[in-house]
Amino acid sequence: MTDAHSTPFHRVLLKLSGEVFGGGRIGLDPAVVAGIATQIADAVRGGVEVAVVIGGGNFFRGAELQQRGMDRTRADYMGMLGTVMNCLALQDFLEKEGIETRVQSAIGMQQVAEPYIPRRAIRHLEKGRVVIFGAGAGMPFFSTDTVSAQRALEIKCDAVLIAKNGVDGVYDSDPRTNPDAKKLETVTFQDAIVEGLKVVDAAAFSLCMENKLPMVVFGMEGAGNITRALLGERIGTLVTNA
């Protein structure tokens, strides 16, 4: 078993796509969530402190609801509630793996989650618990990509790991529309922003660049990819300042 002394990461934040939790459909696929929990649990047993941010796209996406005529602010709050449902599902399956877990919400809902308190989150991590951050930033117009960078900085993570659905890293153009797109093993935040590489929000890139926080973008598909990324194995694309 890998231990904390042989991994490059001591504490990381993992961003998970909400769409994956639904297994390609609206709602939750328990088998998918259980598989993700098993991979996270393996990394925690390997000595890595893990915090998680989950999107809510398997329930609601604020921008898409806005396009259908809904007020963007209200739609974004609905999306935040969707993320909390995903958090509670992941918490349940992590605890079935024997991993103590805490959900912290940016919106008050004391019956199901703690309030988001950075120092309390750090203390949970120090005790070997997984901390799952729900409800985004608690404000509309902020993506969970941006929240992932902000939370990672506030709880002093070594890196933020972005697990993508359907793409295994950062490409020089959209691989879904350009069959000649080339995967980048490494890229700088500056180049990613200037070239408009949209695999992650520009605001998330900017936050990490300004604070010199490394980012790894990798694909969730593939057996054990989440555990491999959490333990610091080189997969996907490394995004840094230099």
Side-chain angles (χ1 to χ4, degrees), residues 1-16:
M1 178 67 72
T2 308
D3 61 41
H5 298 292
S6 60
T7 65
F9 300 139
H10 170 63
R11 177 181 299 158
V12 295
L13 187 137
L14 173 66
K15 161 65 194 316
L16 295 170

Side-chain angles (χ1 to χ4, degrees), residues 14-209:
L14 173 66
K15 161 65 194 316
L16 295 170
S17 164
E19 288 90 342
V20 173
F21 275 48
R25 298 181 297 277
I26 299 297
L28 281 166
D29 184 330
V32 171
V33 182
I36 292 170
T38 297
Q39 293 192 66
I40 294 172
D42 286 344
V44 173
R45 295 186 191 105
V48 182
E49 296 179 3
V50 181
V52 184
V53 169
I54 312 171
N58 53 320
F59 292 112
F60 308 104
R61 294 182 67 89
E64 292 178 5
L65 290 174
Q66 181 188 30
Q67 292 172 4
R68 301 291 296 273
M70 183 172 286
D71 175 76
R72 175 61 187 269
T73 299
R74 189 165 293 113
D76 277 357
Y77 278 116
M78 291 173 64
M80 292 176 215
L81 297 177
T83 71
V84 175
M85 290 192 280
N86 285 336
C87 291
L88 294 176
L90 182 60
Q91 179 185 38
D92 186 72
F93 283 103
L94 278 169
E95 293 188 343
K96 285 179 170 60
E97 290 283 337
I99 303 297
E100 285 196 63
T101 308
R102 297 291 186 271
V103 174
Q104 291 197 347
S105 170
I107 296 175
M109 45 184 76
Q110 288 81 357
Q111 287 179 294
V112 297
E114 297 178 356
Y116 170 57
I117 300 174
R119 291 183 66 85
R120 181 182 290 178
I122 290 170
R123 186 63 179 142
H124 287 320
L125 292 167
E126 290 172 344
K127 291 182 177 180
R129 299 166 182 157
V130 171
V131 181
I132 312 172
F133 299 119
M139 299 177 288
F141 304 105
F142 284 83
S143 75
T144 46
D145 284 345
T146 302
V147 171
S148 298
Q150 188 276 331
R151 295 288 190 261
L153 289 166
E154 198 161 16
I155 63 172
K156 306 183 189 309
C157 289
D158 300 318
V160 56
L161 311 181
I162 308 291
K164 303 298 290 185
N165 181 30
V167 63
D168 62 349
V170 179
Y171 284 73
D172 60 1
S173 60
D174 189 346
R176 297 172 183 174
T177 58
N178 178 13
D180 296 321
K182 292 183 175 60
K183 180 183 172 183
L184 306 173
E185 297 299 319
T186 61
V187 67
T188 67
F189 290 114
Q190 182 67 34
D191 287 346
I193 293 168
V194 169
E195 295 172 20
L197 305 180
K198 299 185 182 299
V199 68
V200 173
D201 286 353
F205 278 143
S206 296
L207 266 177
C208 291
M209 180 176 67

